[in-house]
Amino acid sequence: VPSTTMTPLSISPTIDPAQSPFKLRTFGDHALARMVTEAQRWLQTVSAAGFPYWLTLYGPSGTGKTHVAKALWVEIRAFGMDYSRQTTYVPFFVHWPVFCDDLRGGRAYERVADMRRWPCLFLDDIGCGRDATGFLADHLTTLLCARVGMWTCLTSNLTIPQIAAIDQRIVSRLIRDGGTMVHVETMDYALRYV
């Protein structure tokens, strides 16, 4: 019988971790526990306006990467932090494949410029939308280059060599400035209930 250990994901100085609305069952799985621990560290960094700025969660589908990224996004929104010195700022969560469809259709160019400036960005499933011309890789690389020194959380189903095959500059940006990269290699979360 797998362990049903629950790890709270709430490090806001104003929110008690025991009261966190988000908990991930780690099943005693080292990879899941490490992902949650690193996410907690990154959340502490953001809440303290500190360094490192980037967190990348990568590994196979179904391992909880997007779940953790969304929980971080919810927590950061709850902080009420004034990232942009404007009271209306809300960190953005962007699903890359959907955004790629918008780029291909010419509907997202204004948002690309905004994403370069947003103080905190969550970019889910990078590398998923690919094309033969390099159009999407160029946009992703340009975006990531512009985000150096800004809080950014990324997820990907690709391995580092697969991301490098799209464009080596992407991997360079992921590790720049001591960014935290967490490889989540474990069983699909849905299969744990089968």
Side-chain angles (χ1 to χ4, degrees), residues 9 13 16 18 24 31 38-39 78 80 92 95-96 99 101 103 109 116 118 124 126 156 166 168-169 184 190 193:
L9 183 62
D16 177 3
L24 176 69
E38 293 300 331
F92 285 88
H95 187 61
W96 184 251
F99 184 70
D101 288 344
L103 276 174
Y109 289 104
R116 291 178 184 161
W118 292 339
D124 183 41
I126 64 165
S156 182
I166 296 169
Q168 180 61 41
R169 297 173 296 171
V184 186
Y193 298 102

Side-chain angles (χ1 to χ4, degrees), residues 5-110:
T5 305
M6 302 292 275
T7 305
L9 183 62
S10 177
I11 305 299
S12 167
T14 60
I15 299 173
D16 177 3
Q19 301 301 315
S20 175
F22 171 72
K23 296 187 186 326
L24 176 69
R25 293 178 70 185
T26 60
F27 298 94
D29 186 304
H30 175 72
L32 291 176
R34 179 171 180 263
M35 176 175 55
V36 170
T37 298
E38 293 300 331
Q40 288 173 324
R41 284 188 187 133
W42 187 76
L43 189 58
Q44 286 175 329
T45 297
V46 173
S47 69
F51 171 91
Y53 296 108
W54 287 28
L55 173 66
T56 304
L57 308 173
Y58 69 99
S61 296
T63 56
K65 302 175 304 291
T66 297
H67 186 67
V68 168
K70 280 241 176 166
L72 288 168
W73 175 65
V74 167
E75 288 290 321
I76 288 173
R77 286 179 48 183
F79 285 162
M81 294 172 63
D82 190 10
Y83 298 100
S84 65
R85 314 234 187 285
Q86 300 172 8
T87 58
T88 58
Y89 177 74
V90 175
F92 285 88
F93 193 97
V94 177
H95 187 61
W96 184 251
V98 172
F99 184 70
C100 289
D101 288 344
D102 290 345
L103 276 174
R104 287 184 192 111
R107 298 179 301 271
Y109 289 104
E110 206 172 284

